[in-house]
Amino acid sequence: MYGLKPDWELEPRPRCFALEDYGGKVPRWCPGCGDHSVLGALQRLARDEQLPPEKTVVVSGIGCSSRFPHYMKTYGFHGLHGRPLPIACGVLSRRPDLHVFVVTGDGDCCAIGTAHWIHAIRYNMNLTVMMLDNQIYGLTKAQSSPTTPLGVSSLTHPHGTPLSPLNPLTVTLGITNASFVAQTVDWNPPHLYATLQAAHRHGGLSFVRVIQRCPHYMPHIWEEVQQNPNSILLLTHEKGIQLDEAVRKVFKNQQAHDPNDLDAARAVAARDDVIPAGLLYHNPAAERYDRATVAGLEMGDDEKLDAVQHALDRFLI
Ligand SMILES: Cc1ncc(C[n+]2csc(CCOP(=O)(O)OP(=O)(O)O)c2C)c(N)n1
Ligand code: SF4
Ligand SMILES: [Mg+2]
């Protein structure tokens, strides 16, 4: 066409996202922190699923792990301590077209955020929740969290925590309407990635507990687990997390587990002799609150005003 540059095109080119399209600021986590591994997995997942950055949101609370949104070049909401889940539910209720990821810590989710955790699981809105469990309050320099193992010394319990830890898996599996509950570890990237991928593809709230290393405050806590190939129990099933043969062979301890079986999921979650890794529970048919919150979203402003007027007219006297 006259006057236009030769490479001008009327049709927009299909977009293709590379890893750097998701990379935000340089992470300030300590060297060796497991959070780096989860960030890498999420960026790769976003690239592989070709999630448009402007349609992706990462919501967090407060903690080392909750710095996550700064490190993703997507939309993000670094919220208040314990409140990422209600924020994420709010985002999704108005924008169900977005891919919403939640990053929360063991303190953020299982201490101050407990009530929100319970209700968000029951609401089962379409969120991918990653609970990064380093078993300590990292950001505030090592106070006991609800998942800190018995006897571990912390700032709040210098002589050792006096209580046994809360089990985030059994708690989640005890909540009405839980629909996707999985566990993975930060130091096995293929398993971590496959678990996050399955979680993202689930329609409803997927709760993934990522056992996360904090080399700064809990330097030796996972050493034994990492050195003992029997300490992790890989859950295998055709409906579970799918791994390449080469990755599967690394796990010496394996058990077939049907993720549709809630009683079996609760039993395996309660085991304290091994760390189960994989999909514990999956119910794709669970009720979803976001099916209710979409009501009226397609209405224009005039329609909404009419509806409000109509509702108020009922109180005319
Ligand atoms: C309302 C409120 N209470 C307490 C704090 C202090 N605080 C900030 S982060 C944190 C604990 C974070 O621990 P966790 O969620 O496990 O994250 P981590 O740092 O271990 O990743 C606490 C107690 C706060 N910021 N706001
Ligand atoms: S204190 Fe622990 S959790 Fe926080 S950045 Fe350092 S290693 Fe990670
Ligand atoms: Mg923590």
Side-chain angles (χ1 to χ4, degrees), residues 9 53-54 69 75 144-145 160 192 236 242 247 280 310:
E9 290 172 15
E54 75 280 8
Y75 281 97
S144 307
S145 93
L192 171 66
T236 60
Q242 303 307 314
V247 178
L280 283 91
H310 182 71

Side-chain angles (χ1 to χ4, degrees), residues 29 33 35 61-67 79-83 103-112 131-147 212 214 217:
W29 293 312
C33 174
D35 292 349
I62 300 287
C64 293
S65 41
S66 288
R67 295 191 55 78
L80 290 175
H81 195 32
R83 277 70 170 185
V103 181
T104 180
D106 43 306
D108 201 58
C109 178
C110 309
I112 192 169
M131 201 276 272
L132 274 49
D133 192 351
N134 57 2
Q135 308 191 325
I136 198 80
Y137 290 0
L139 189 77
T140 44
K141 305 188 186 297
Q143 296 84 21
S144 307
S145 93
T147 62
Q212 179 232 317
C214 170
Y217 292 119

Side-chain angles (χ1 to χ4, degrees), residues 105-175:
D106 43 306
D108 201 58
C109 178
C110 309
I112 192 169
T114 312
H116 299 304
W117 172 27
I118 292 174
H119 293 293
I121 296 290
R122 176 171 167 262
Y123 286 4
N124 191 32
M125 297 172 83
N126 195 21
L127 306 170
T128 306
V129 179
M130 291 161 276
M131 201 276 272
L132 274 49
D133 192 351
N134 57 2
Q135 308 191 325
I136 198 80
Y137 290 0
L139 189 77
T140 44
K141 305 188 186 297
Q143 296 84 21
S144 307
S145 93
T147 62
T148 304
L150 183 70
V152 166
S153 168
S154 71
L155 276 188
T156 36
H157 299 103
H159 302 297
T161 49
L163 294 174
S164 295
L166 170 152
N167 180 335
L169 296 177
T170 54
V171 172
T172 307
L173 288 164
I175 300 170

Side-chain angles (χ1 to χ4, degrees), residues 199-277:
H200 171 64
R201 291 180 177 177
H202 167 66
L205 190 148
S206 41
F207 180 85
V208 180
R209 180 191 186 205
V210 182
I211 295 180
Q212 179 232 317
R213 288 163 300 168
C214 170
H216 195 69
Y217 292 119
M218 307 285 268
H220 306 299
I221 198 142
W222 298 114
E223 267 173 14
E224 198 190 316
V225 170
Q226 288 182 289
Q227 282 158 17
N228 176 3
N230 291 319
S231 59
I232 294 187
L233 177 67
L234 183 73
L235 305 177
T236 60
H237 198 274
E238 57 184 8
K239 295 179 197 157
I241 307 295
Q242 303 307 314
L243 296 174
D244 289 343
E245 181 59 25
V247 178
R248 195 141 37 98
K249 276 199 308 205
V250 173
F251 296 91
K252 302 294 171 219
N253 201 359
Q254 303 191 9
Q255 177 184 306
H257 169 74
D258 178 354
N260 296 148
D261 185 338
L262 182 56
D263 290 336
R266 286 175 174 157
V268 83
R271 286 187 64 171
D272 54 11
D273 55 330
V274 284
I275 296 171

